[in-house]
Amino acid sequence: MAQPSSLLGHNRASADLRPGASSDRLRLLSELERKVLWLSSWTIHHANHIRPNRDGLKVGGHQASSASVATLLTALYLDVLRPQDRVAVKPHASPVFHAIQYLLGRQTVDKLQAFRSLGGAQSYPSRTKDGDDVDFSTGSVGLGVAMTSFAALVQDYVRLQGLAPTGEAPGRMVAVVGDAELDEGNVFEAMLEGWKHEVRNVWWVIDYNRQSLDAVVSDRLYSHIDDLFRNMGWRVVILKYGKKLERAFAGPDGAALREWIDACPNSLYSALVYKGGAGWRKHLEGDIGHLPGIREFLAGHDDASLHDVMTNLAGHDMQTVREAFHAIEDDLPTCFIAYTIKGFGLPFAGHKDNHAGLMNEGQMATFQASMAVPEGAEWDRFAGLKSPPEELEAFLAAVPFTQRAQRRLAAAAVPVPASLPVPAGKRQSTQEGFGRILSELASGDQPLARHIVTCSPDVTVSTNLGGWVNRRGLFDRRERADVFRDEKVVSAQRWQMSPEGQHIELGIAENNFFTLLGALGLAEPVFGARLLPIGTLYDPFIARGLDALNYACYQNARFMLVATPSGITLAPEGGAHQSIGSPLIGMSQDGLTAFEPAFVDELAVLMRWGFEHMQAPDGGAVYLRLSTRPVDQPERALTPDLTRDIVAGAYWAVPPAEGAELAIVYQGALAPEAIAAHRMILEDIPGAGLLAVTSADRLHRDWLAGVRDGERGHIGRLLARLAPDAALVSVLDGHPATLSWLGSVAGHRIHPLGVDHFGQSGDIPDLYRVYGLDADAILDAAARACLGRR
Ligand SMILES: Cc1ncc(C[n+]2csc(CCOP(=O)(O)OP(=O)(O)O)c2C)c(N)n1
Ligand SMILES: [Mg+2]
């Protein structure tokens, strides 16, 4: 069996010295582990074979993946974890997680019976949809793993900053990892970043069943996995063989048996696991049967017990697993590589096609009999177990993990001032305005600023966070000098690092950036600390971390994403950096409200709203798409009506005459072109309106909600001023579909301008001309729109 390159003797824990540990404990845990295996298998079976199926679709659920971690998860939840620990369970072990919570009285039978159906236990553990206290959702493999590392960083941050409840020991951030999850690059990106930040209190427990979805993994693949971890400062604990195998190895010619199994290719081992005792016997006889000790060993076991010994991998050996977990007492990041068998204890154990395999009725009946679960008692918590229910009940009631009723925490809201300062300046970009607003906040002593934490994937300075960082410093667990400053090298940036710093500087990996934003954005429920995370990156590179962004939103993490520069307006910076589809991402991403202000006063309004939205019970994350283009700022007062409309997503910059036949609609950095074109149009169409859109996302959402109620929302009310057959010309530096739907609101004809191809460097006049976004292009579109009038 392929194994990590070295087995460290000192990592093999030998005795459980924990107070209270006893053979009783082991007996009860082993019994409950059986029950967990039963309940998880039965939950999936019930959903697929017993519950009525209305649409003919496969329901699914993963009996083999679940069986693989029954021991590990039972040991963790029923013995090892403490209330402050937080866990990401590999997605396909959801039934095991729910079964354990059910045993603990934290999950209902109704939800198990409704597994994978509406309102039931979720297919993959979900912190927002499941009621049994999922800490971190999983589903997209690799992301939950990385999440634990960033959560550990956030735990350090809130503790060192004095933002977390005091008097609590730090929790361990634990990921139960499918071995194929390590194919995902984001896991290694997270490891590297974790190493830079010296993360602590992270455990990754790898369910090393050497099988993925399609296949048995290559023998060579994992030969260096432990080195990889060690290079990143992790302790590696390899759990390979269980007590029965270890005993066999200690017997006559046991060394040969160990050598045989160590050398056994993954696929042969898996095939023999599937075939059972006779298969083991044949191969052992053929390969090492000439040795007297092996002959004796084989003669001493019937097929069933031979199979039992040969499949006694450490990940299924409760005693070995407990010893290993309890042996860790420090906070060094620790990776447990636990050898397991996919489908352990089930008829398709080890079969290469078992990922989606389900026991059929006959196999389930045999399995049920072997579990001694009487018919009708399938959901019973203790049926078929030997220990008396009172003893099991008492054991479960004393499980350390549940000794605190509430593991989800709350923190008081931070007051948000009635308005944020609008930086003075006749001509500035939204990106510059953002930097100045934050810088202003940094120099004050408002509680809001204390709770803001910023982060950026190596674009802190180029996204204008420099002023904030100069004042608030970088976060590091240790005090670190700013060498350039100490050496009197002139620089506009002060990079003082300390535990008080409020900026977390990341390497370039955007996936890490979004995972960190997710972890920071869950600081309240997970660590009881109120954070207002702001993350900056270049708008095009949202795509680079999109799955992690989606993952953060899926968990209802609260953060402010500031993406700048954006679109083709970054002009000379080149075609590779142009973002076209990001406004559509902003519109379509659930849990994220997207804005694209044109002016700095709008930005101040939206940031203020964002800080409240990030804290509201029914709020969410916020995305601000900004630009580096300096534009003339309007001289105006932010009246309550204007403020409200900026937040609602649009306002009339120039209101149309009642019944006007044309309106120009713009979003973001193209305001000057729209304003110029509109001014020219007024000569021919004096009543034409100019509509400023600050959030296509909010307008669209409100419109859709209104459509359901027979109304047209905020945008419907605005457009009602136009003639029923009026024309619209919309323009933005992004995909035209962002605004083209406006034509449907009141049945107006629309000419949507925007960017639908990209990749060209240039200056703004050239690019706007080439892509058809300049004032001339808007005028042309308006003329065509008016000519095409019915
Ligand atoms: C990002 C992503 N890609 C693909 C999948 C589909 N998928 C689900 S499980 C799986 C293989 C998982 O293997 P492993 O992590 O070893 O878990 P096991 O089933 O062996 O417990 C794949 C490819 C997914 N869930 N997420
Ligand atoms: Mg696997």
Side-chain angles (χ1 to χ4, degrees), residues 65 90 92 139-141 178-181 184 209 211 213 342 355:
S65 302
K90 70 167 191 172
H92 304 83
S140 178
V141 297
D179 48 354
E181 293 198 68
E184 291 286 0
N209 60 25
Q211 280 188 254
L213 194 161
K342 191 156 171 171
H355 185 78

